[in-house]
Amino acid sequence: MSDSQVKKGGLKRNAIWMVFGNSIYAACQWVVLISIARLKGPEAVGDFTLALAVTAPIIMFFNCGIRTIIATDHTSTFDVKTLLYIKLALSIFSFAVCIGASFIFRAEVRDIIWIVAASKVIESFSDFCYGYAQKSGELNSISLSLFVRGVISTLTIVIFLFLDLTMQITLLAYTVTWFAVLVFYDVRNVEHFDVNGVVRSEKVMRFLRSGIPLGITTLFSLLGPNIPRYVLEKYYGPLDLGLYSSMAYFVALGNIFIMSIGQALIPILSRQHAAKRHREFFTLTLSILAVVIVAGGICTLIAYAYGGQLIRLLYGERFAGKADVFPVIVVAAIIGYVGNVLGVAVTSAKIFAGQAPAFGLAALIGLVAALVYVPQYGVLGAAYSLVVASAMSVLAPLVLLFIYRRNFRGR
């Protein structure tokens, strides 16, 4: 497929498919969060979101950006068998690290962390399959997988919550549905899933040279928004963490569109980079940024005007008492979305090594902000530190793109 053919509707079609799938999936996850809030209370929300905050950075670090590497591997450098063996090994390590990390936290939340870790490992294997669909431009199969996984798992968790079963049993059932979708749908949708051949050490090392910097970058980029959760849980406990996390989930909802556009953009931008069509590369990136900034401004105005009513309607009175935090979180989200788009451009340009130290510095500054603001202001302080972390997520890729642009101009 030529780049001109991709442009003539490929971006639009793929973005529509991804918006559909990710929208349904995120809406389902939101229903899960609302159901936990309504039926179990903010403390249960705090335990669940803490488990997500602990496991997601670890799992994604050991994932080593494998989906991105697959999606941008237009010369088929890596065979399926090599990548699958690497993925299996890294997944075992990631789950073991999650188990170890759980002992840092309260005993009451450890088993929840273990179950959520298992679900995230399963999700990472679905992501492995998505890489091949993304590479071939068949994002409709990814969208349908997200749709099926979101609907089935959400129905399961809502039913179990209504039956007043424990969070542990409920989350186990939730995890089983994710595994079923992986086995019966995702794996079957990977074309040419040929696992014959020999795993060569030089290919493993070549993967790790690209994958480890990507994994470190993802780790730091996820630590940034999650650091306020760790600090808030330490100083104030699961109640305040649940109040904060319920509002912070709106960040994930908005990120649906950013992720969807980004997943459709990566193959196109990577082709433009490979063909040295730098002007087209930056024009497309700037066009997407303009859309994000305008839409973000509108959302910020709505949050300031109607945020309190929205929080009360969705989560109840216990959550509405902290509704003044919501507009600050929305501002942080918009800044973060800009950083995500810039991050897609950096990844598409294969600037892998430079991302890790940039995002590491951003995470460190976010940690300092959380340690300053959270003990003094609580939930509001967590929102302030999220603004700082989001601002740094913009600065890091912006610097890398500036260096990239200066380098190609100098040739």
Side-chain angles (χ1 to χ4, degrees):
M1 182 182 292
S2 69
D3 197 56
S4 61
Q5 288 175 313
V6 172
K7 284 184 178 180
K8 288 181 179 177
L11 175 59
K12 182 178 179 180
R13 177 176 62 86
N14 284 331
I16 289 172
W17 269 113
M18 291 312 299
V19 168
F20 169 75
N22 280 313
S23 296
I24 298 297
Y25 182 74
C28 288
Q29 298 301 297
W30 195 19
V31 170
V32 168
L33 198 65
I34 292 171
S35 300
I36 295 173
R38 290 284 187 176
L39 298 173
K40 294 291 186 179
E43 294 86 355
V45 173
D47 287 344
F48 177 59
T49 55
L50 176 64
L52 291 172
V54 171
T55 58
I58 295 171
I59 300 297
M60 293 305 293
F61 166 69
F62 282 99
N63 210 35
C64 286
I66 198 165
R67 174 175 172 176
T68 297
I69 290 173
I70 293 170
T72 58
D73 185 22
H74 299 298
T75 57
S76 298
T77 304
F78 302 105
D79 58 277
V80 176
K81 184 174 183 179
T82 297
L83 292 177
L84 185 58
Y85 273 66
I86 291 171
K87 177 64 189 154
L88 285 167
L90 292 175
S91 295
I92 293 170
F93 280 120
S94 67
F95 186 73
V97 173
C98 287
I99 296 297
S102 69
F103 287 93
I104 299 173
F105 301 94
R106 293 173 288 112
E108 298 83 2
V109 79
R110 283 175 195 159
D111 47 0
I112 292 177
I113 293 175
W114 300 344
I115 297 167
V116 171
S119 71
K120 299 301 287 184
V121 169
I122 291 168
E123 183 182 41
S124 73
F125 274 97
S126 289
D127 213 46
F128 176 88
C129 298
Y130 294 168
Y132 286 98
Q134 190 173 346
K135 179 182 177 181
S136 62
E138 297 299 323
L139 272 66
N140 57 315
S141 64
I142 301 176
S143 181
L144 290 173
S145 172
L146 291 169
F147 173 82
V148 172
R149 180 152 57 99
V151 171
I152 293 176
S153 62
T154 301
L155 285 174
T156 300
I157 206 168
V158 169
I159 290 170
F160 275 59
L161 286 172
F162 268 109
L163 293 174
D164 200 26
L165 297 173
T166 65
M167 282 291 294
Q168 289 83 347
I169 293 175
T170 300
L171 291 174
L172 274 173
Y174 181 76
T175 302
V176 168
T177 62
W178 282 19
F179 182 73
V181 173
L182 169 65
V183 172
F184 294 109
Y185 185 82
D186 295 335
V187 172
R188 295 174 183 270
N189 276 289
V190 177
E191 293 184 8
H192 312 300
F193 215 138
D194 184 8
V195 292
N196 295 318
V198 179
V199 177
R200 300 186 181 280
S201 59
E202 61 267 23
K203 285 195 174 184
V204 174
M205 295 307 298
R206 186 171 181 177
F207 170 85
L208 292 176
R209 281 195 294 270
S210 294
I212 289 176
L214 272 176
I216 294 172
T217 300
T218 305
L219 171 66
F220 287 140
S221 66
L222 287 174
L223 281 176
N226 280 312
I227 282 172
R229 290 183 169 89
Y230 307 142
V231 180
L232 192 59
E233 201 276 340
K234 174 179 174 57
Y235 282 94
Y236 290 90
L239 173 60
D240 281 46
L241 176 59
L243 296 173
Y244 169 80
S245 296
S246 62
M247 289 179 282
Y249 191 74
F250 283 89
V251 177
L253 289 176
N255 210 32
I256 297 166
F257 301 98
I258 307 304
M259 287 176 56
S260 302
I261 294 170
Q263 288 159 358
L265 271 176
I266 283 178
I268 299 173
L269 289 176
S270 63
R271 286 188 182 96
Q272 291 172 345
H273 163 72
K276 302 187 184 304
R277 295 201 294 274
H278 304 298
R279 184 180 297 277
E280 294 176 32
F281 179 96
F282 280 103
T283 298
L284 183 55
T285 301
L286 290 172
S287 299
I288 300 300
L289 280 174
V291 173
V292 170
I293 291 169
V294 171
I298 295 171
C299 291
T300 302
L301 292 174
I302 293 172
Y304 273 99
Y306 303 106
Q309 296 93 312
L310 184 61
I311 297 299
R312 181 176 290 102
L313 175 66
L314 292 171
Y315 298 116
E317 286 297 329
R318 292 187 72 187
F319 292 82
K322 296 289 185 180
D324 59 316
V325 176
F326 181 56
V328 182
I329 290 176
V330 172
V331 170
I334 305 306
I335 298 171
Y337 300 155
V338 171
N340 288 343
V341 173
L342 293 172
V344 166
V346 168
T347 299
S348 300
K350 295 184 177 292
I351 310 172
F352 296 146
Q355 294 186 52
F359 281 101
L361 178 61
L364 179 60
I365 292 173
L367 174 61
V368 172
L371 291 173
V372 170
Y373 290 124
V374 171
Q376 185 174 358
Y377 299 107
V379 176
L380 184 60
Y384 288 153
S385 61
L386 185 62
V387 172
V388 174
S390 297
M392 292 306 302
S393 77
V394 171
L395 182 61
L398 199 60
V399 170
L400 293 172
L401 284 174
F402 175 78
I403 295 171
Y404 168 75
R405 189 167 186 266
R406 187 181 63 181
N407 286 342
F408 81 71
R409 273 190 166 183
R411 293 172 184 172

